[in-house]
Amino acid sequence: MFENLIESKPKKSRTLKQSVFSLILHVVLGYGAIKATAGAAETMKAILQDTTKFLLTPPEPPPPPPPETPPPEAIVSANPPPLGFQTVMPPTEIPKEIPPVNLNERFNAADFSGKGVEGGIATGAVGGSGPVTGETFLEAQVDDPVAIISQPKPRYPPVLQQAGVSGRVELQFVVDTLGHAEAASWKVLKSTNKLFEEPARETIMKSVFKPARIKGAAVRQLVQQAMVFNVGQ
């Protein structure tokens, strides 16, 4: 028998250059693996943060709807006219002139129903105190101011007449486009005695006026008139 075994493939001893190269290669591969692992971890962390933000952050509320604007016919005036009716007072004296007729004006039978406040209109509001219709002008603003067509003699209070007391009432009212004083506009500016005020109002409401006009169109005008009460007259 042989005392020594013959190695089939003898091992080759590494040189110093091969060892250094192998070491460098392992270091590079290890560094690359570390960087790749760190990059993957950072990417996964960013994905988790985005997912957490998406899940935890409440959605923004939708913007509020724009305020509703009522249609023009639903807009209510800040000072509407009173809810009521118009009155037609027959003249106590026959007019010497025929009142002008405006064919553009419309007649609304509902304004003469007798329901509500005297001097109001059917489309007015309960408790309203605004003008019945249209804009009110002063005498200096119109082309043709208000003029009296017929006006009865004021009723003298019996008590003051027997006592021989004279007086004066200064009034303010609006004459509408039909030539009548608006009851809601009647106002006493000055009075020497309270008992003269109601007869003065009655006289104004029974009067017929020629309405004011601007460029031929009838308009409402604010009028001031003084009414004198003399015992001898």
Side-chain angles (χ1 to χ4, degrees):
M1 298 299 292
F2 295 101
E3 294 181 356
N4 297 326
L5 297 175
I6 299 174
E7 186 176 6
S8 59
K9 292 182 179 181
K11 294 182 179 181
K12 296 181 180 180
S13 59
R14 293 184 176 181
T15 63
L16 178 61
K17 181 185 292 186
Q18 291 177 338
S19 299
V20 172
F21 177 77
S22 177
L23 178 62
I24 293 174
L25 180 62
H26 281 81
V27 170
V28 170
L29 292 176
Y31 179 77
I34 293 174
K35 292 296 292 182
T37 304
E42 291 294 331
T43 302
M44 184 61 66
K45 183 178 179 181
I47 294 174
L48 292 176
Q49 287 180 348
D50 292 341
T51 305
T52 304
K53 181 178 180 181
F54 176 77
L55 294 175
L56 298 181
T57 304
E60 296 183 0
E68 296 183 0
T69 302
E73 61 271 12
I75 297 176
V76 180
S77 173
N79 187 20
L83 175 63
F85 59 94
Q86 295 288 301
T87 57
V88 178
M89 302 297 296
T92 56
E93 299 179 4
I94 299 176
K96 298 179 181 180
E97 300 179 11
I98 299 176
V101 178
N102 186 358
L103 299 178
N104 295 325
E105 293 177 348
R106 296 182 179 181
F107 176 80
N108 186 6
D111 291 337
F112 300 87
S113 63
K115 299 178 181 179
V117 180
E118 181 181 1
I121 56 175
T123 56
V126 177
S129 59
V132 173
T133 177
E135 184 179 356
T136 303
F137 296 89
L138 300 177
E139 182 177 357
Q141 296 176 308
V142 300
D143 300 330
D144 189 11
V146 168
I148 299 174
I149 295 178
S150 66
Q151 189 169 80
K153 185 178 180 179
R155 175 179 57 85
Y156 213 110
V159 175
L160 299 180
Q161 189 174 25
Q162 292 176 4
V165 177
S166 300
R168 176 187 174 94
V169 180
E170 294 182 10
L171 308 169
Q172 178 176 282
F173 53 93
V174 174
V175 175
D176 62 18
T177 56
L178 298 178
H180 300 286
E182 296 179 0
S185 67
W186 189 82
K187 180 181 180 181
V188 176
L189 301 178
K190 188 182 297 184
S191 175
T192 58
N193 194 303
K194 286 285 186 181
L195 296 179
F196 288 126
E197 295 179 6
E198 184 58 29
R201 179 184 180 278
E202 293 175 358
T203 301
I204 294 300
M205 297 308 300
K206 292 179 181 180
S207 301
V208 178
F209 301 89
K210 183 181 71 173
R213 291 186 176 274
I214 296 179
K215 297 181 180 180
V219 295
R220 300 167 69 247
Q221 180 190 323
L222 184 66
V223 178
Q224 292 184 359
Q225 181 179 344
M227 197 159 294
V228 179
F229 293 82
N230 290 325
V231 178
Q233 295 181 352

